[in-house]
Amino acid sequence: MGDAEDELATPLPTPEQLGLGLAYEIKALRGVVDLEPVPNRRPERVVYARSPDGALWVRKMDMPPAERIAEALGYLVCRCVGVPIPDAAVAVDGERVHWLSKVVHPSEVWGPELMYQIYNLDDLGRLLAIDAVLHVPDRHGDNVLFEPSDEGWHLWAIDFDCARIGDPGWLLGSMEHEPLPLAAELPGLDVDVIAGPMRQCADYLAALNLSDARDLAGAACAAARVTGLKERLAEALVTRCSIAPSLVSEYTQLLRTQA
Amino acid sequence: MNPQYRLVHFAPTPGLGARVPIGALTLDDAGVAFVRSPHLPRAECVGGRPGDRVLHLVLDRLEAARSFDELPKTVGHSVVLGEPKPMPCEVTTEAWVRGLFAPLVAQTAEAPRFKERSRADMGYSFFAAYHLEKHVRKRFDPSEFWPDVQLPSSASLYAVGENELLLMEPIVFSRPHRQVEEAAADVSKRFSVYRVARDIEHVIQAFTPKLIAFALHSVDRDTKAEVLSRVTPYADLVYDVDRPGDRMDLVEIVRRTVADHGTGLLGH
């Protein structure tokens, strides 16, 4: 499958283009009001919400610190790599912190019939590479969105709350016995057409240095309103990224086995 | 068993609670089925063309419903399932449920037809995923290849090699069954024209078109097998891209064909 793997429809951005090294800020919003629950999600935890500026968000209620860190870091890494992910913010309500993700509308979730209709297919490969590195165990059909256009369907990454990077101590301690997450459950996934972007994304992440990792970890901890974890998170991130090529290679094989 | 139904609503405006009925799940002695509303909302009622595309995607996915208790897993946040309600025992389930939507007739008369992506576009996307978009072309025009031969039949996709021409027809299953049947009949007819021409026209014999049908994804394997069995007698090769082996064979035959031939016989 050499040809398909080696070609990319869109090249990865350079660190300079992305501004890697400059911490991405995740805004804190106040005065966000809830609307109705998001259909077919856990109604007590996931609702539509509107901020004072009129923006429409999906609000995840009362997430524990590890999930907030995971969401924030997943968001920041996607931004670094150029994988489309909806704008994010946190809603602060006294001591309570809720994660906000800008609504992608209209959109729908994964289905096998979309596999070859996704026009940013490289981003699907990059997303799965990020999942392998951040140890996301629940990349299933509901956790990726597709927005329609005349050219096909545009992929958006969402939902990193289960990423085990949110518990950096566990992740560092499990490198030997549980290095990879469960394989993504995306029926109809054609690994051959995304293996190239996965590998390139892994090479890109492998170049992350400790300074960049600290910036990202700092921004994630600040957004998640978690203190005292920045260094541990940076260590976990840079450790995982340093072995990204082998992690992603093994994860690609895992996806092939499942397919 | 007392037959029941559950209305299925499309949620066109996130957060506002708006709901538009688009069909119903039914449960009777024959099992669970999805009955599509015969009168769907206009595109402008569901967020314009993008919203309309999502609406028709979920309608296709709802056809796979096999449970009365929950929606298919591939149906996400755009759809809300109503409460179970009884229906009369003595009625024909589908007709009775379709009748539920009758009051919408006056409001949605002359609704513009949903513009789906063409079969050619959807098949082309498959090859684009394998970075073959420079080699696979849409809408084959036989008069460009054989100006002296009268061939009324075009083809959705084609690829040109040194001595070979691949004429390819995708079959899209994420559509109402009637459209799938029509597409299969259309493909068979197109291929039939070329098969006859191959036998009698020496110009064509010198540059033989290979007739390839390939099936895109379908959740209903039985329907897919049945439809493909009707196309098979007219095609030289038939592939099912849900099968990894078939998928790679299809990609390989295109790669092999175009390998030594740049971008195409006519310099396209």
Side-chain angles (χ1 to χ4, degrees):
Chain A
M1 287 317 308
D3 291 346
E5 287 187 14
D6 292 338
E7 289 180 33
L8 285 177
T10 51
L12 282 165
T14 64
E16 291 74 24
Q17 286 171 324
L18 287 165
L20 190 62
L22 304 172
Y24 288 87
E25 185 189 4
I26 298 174
K27 287 182 181 169
L29 303 179
R30 295 182 188 278
V32 178
V33 295
D34 291 345
L35 303 171
E36 63 167 346
V38 177
N40 306 321
R41 293 278 183 149
R42 292 168 61 186
E44 75 284 4
R45 279 201 61 181
V46 187
V47 299
Y48 289 117
R50 194 170 282 273
S51 50
D53 64 355
L56 191 60
W57 305 87
V58 170
R59 174 173 177 151
K60 292 185 175 177
M61 319 273 274
D62 296 321
M63 293 166 75
E67 291 186 9
R68 299 201 302 263
I69 289 174
E71 279 283 18
L73 196 61
Y75 169 80
L76 293 166
V77 172
C78 280
R79 285 283 158 117
C80 283
V81 175
V83 172
I85 186 166
D87 287 345
V90 291
V92 181
D93 178 14
E95 292 297 304
R96 300 169 66 192
V97 180
H98 313 287
W99 183 258
L100 298 173
S101 174
K102 196 75 88 52
V103 168
V104 178
H105 176 74
S107 64
E108 252 301 326
V109 298
W110 171 270
E113 74 276 48
L114 296 186
M115 179 68 223
Y116 304 111
Q117 312 305 323
I118 304 167
Y119 66 81
N120 58 333
L121 203 46
D122 289 351
D123 288 325
L124 176 59
R126 291 166 187 162
L127 170 62
L128 295 177
I130 292 170
D131 284 351
V133 173
L134 302 189
H135 207 294
V136 177
D138 74 333
R139 183 65 60 198
H140 51 71
D142 281 351
N143 286 346
V144 58
L145 292 181
F146 297 92
E147 184 180 15
S149 79
D150 287 345
E151 291 78 37
W153 296 80
H154 182 260
L155 173 144
W156 291 90
I158 56 167
D159 286 347
F160 282 88
D161 53 347
C162 291
R164 301 307 300 267
I165 192 89
D167 182 354
W170 178 89
L171 194 59
L172 285 167
S174 68
M175 300 285 274
E176 293 296 323
H177 60 85
E178 197 177 328
L180 290 177
L182 296 171
E185 287 182 49
L186 301 172
L189 180 70
D190 182 349
V191 183
D192 288 330
V193 298
I194 57 166
M198 287 181 75
R199 195 173 56 235
Q200 293 212 0
C201 183
D203 291 342
Y204 185 83
L205 289 173
L208 188 88
N209 60 38
L210 187 58
S211 172
D212 293 331
R214 281 197 178 115
D215 284 347
L216 292 168
C221 288
R225 298 292 194 272
V226 172
T227 54
L229 207 60
K230 175 184 161 185
E231 287 302 319
R232 196 78 167 135
L233 186 61
E235 183 191 351
L237 180 60
V238 82
T239 302
R240 295 287 290 187
C241 285
S242 69
I243 56 168
S246 63
L247 282 174
V248 171
S249 173
E250 288 175 39
Y251 190 61
T252 306
Q253 287 308 315
L254 193 61
L255 292 173
R256 283 189 202 281
T257 308
Q258 177 158 297
Chain B
M1 174 194 286
N2 288 330
Q4 300 177 72
Y5 72 96
R6 300 180 75 167
L7 284 177
V8 177
H9 302 270
F10 189 64
T13 49
L16 292 186
R19 304 281 185 264
V20 183
I22 56 171
L25 288 184
T26 61
L27 175 65
D28 60 16
D29 289 332
V32 174
F34 174 67
V35 178
R36 195 182 285 232
S37 167
H39 306 291
L40 294 168
R42 292 167 185 261
E44 58 264 36
C45 299
V46 293
R49 203 160 150 177
D52 212 29
R53 236 174 237 294
V54 170
L55 168 62
H56 282 78
L57 178 74
V58 297
L59 281 167
D60 291 338
R61 289 176 171 183
L62 285 162
E63 302 282 353
R66 295 294 177 265
S67 167
F68 193 64
D69 300 320
E70 58 186 13
L71 294 166
K73 279 189 175 173
T74 51
V75 174
H77 50 276
S78 312
V79 169
V80 178
L81 187 57
E83 292 299 313
K85 306 227 178 201
M87 68 175 119
C89 288
E90 60 274 14
V91 298
T92 304
T93 301
E94 182 174 343
W96 190 84
V97 169
R98 285 169 69 90
L100 288 172
F101 302 102
L104 287 174
V105 172
Q107 297 163 33
T108 58
E110 298 176 19
R113 187 173 156 75
F114 167 66
K115 189 174 185 310
E116 290 166 318
R117 293 187 81 208
S118 67
R119 277 197 305 112
D121 285 345
M122 294 186 74
Y124 184 78
S125 293
F126 169 80
F127 292 108
Y130 281 90
H131 303 291
L132 286 166
E133 63 269 39
K134 289 178 188 160
H135 303 293
V136 174
R137 306 279 160 174
K138 294 183 209 173
R139 294 173 195 90
F140 176 73
D141 179 358
S143 68
E144 283 189 55
F145 275 70
W146 307 294
D148 300 329
V149 181
Q150 288 288 322
L151 278 176
S153 188
S154 63
S156 297
L157 301 170
Y158 66 105
V160 184
E162 194 65 36
N163 298 303
E164 196 161 41
L165 169 67
L166 306 181
L167 299 184
M168 298 181 285
E169 289 290 351
I171 300 176
V172 178
F173 287 86
S174 56
R175 304 235 160 128
H177 188 67
R178 187 172 52 80
Q179 283 184 34
V180 178
E181 300 260 329
E182 288 171 359
D186 181 47
V187 169
S188 301
K189 191 174 164 188
R190 289 184 188 200
F191 282 175
S192 183
V193 168
Y194 285 104
R195 293 184 77 87
V196 173
R198 264 190 328 206
D199 290 339
I200 61 175
E201 299 282 0
H202 76 278
V203 178
I204 285 185
Q205 286 167 350
F207 196 73
T208 310
K210 188 166 276 182
L211 309 174
I212 296 175
F214 64 100
L216 294 176
H217 172 73
S218 172
V219 289
D220 186 344
R221 291 180 185 175
D222 293 340
T223 297
K224 179 187 266 187
E226 198 266 323
V227 167
L228 288 184
S229 73
R230 273 184 281 138
V231 174
T232 299
Y234 301 94
D236 297 317
L237 296 166
V238 177
Y239 298 104
D240 175 357
V241 302
D242 279 340
R243 296 170 186 265
D246 276 21
R247 195 159 66 217
M248 296 325 303
D249 287 348
L250 174 58
V251 169
E252 279 309 309
I253 194 171
V254 172
R255 282 195 180 136
R256 214 168 45 235
T257 299
V258 303
D260 302 319
H261 200 66
T263 55
L265 178 72
L266 299 181
H268 289 169

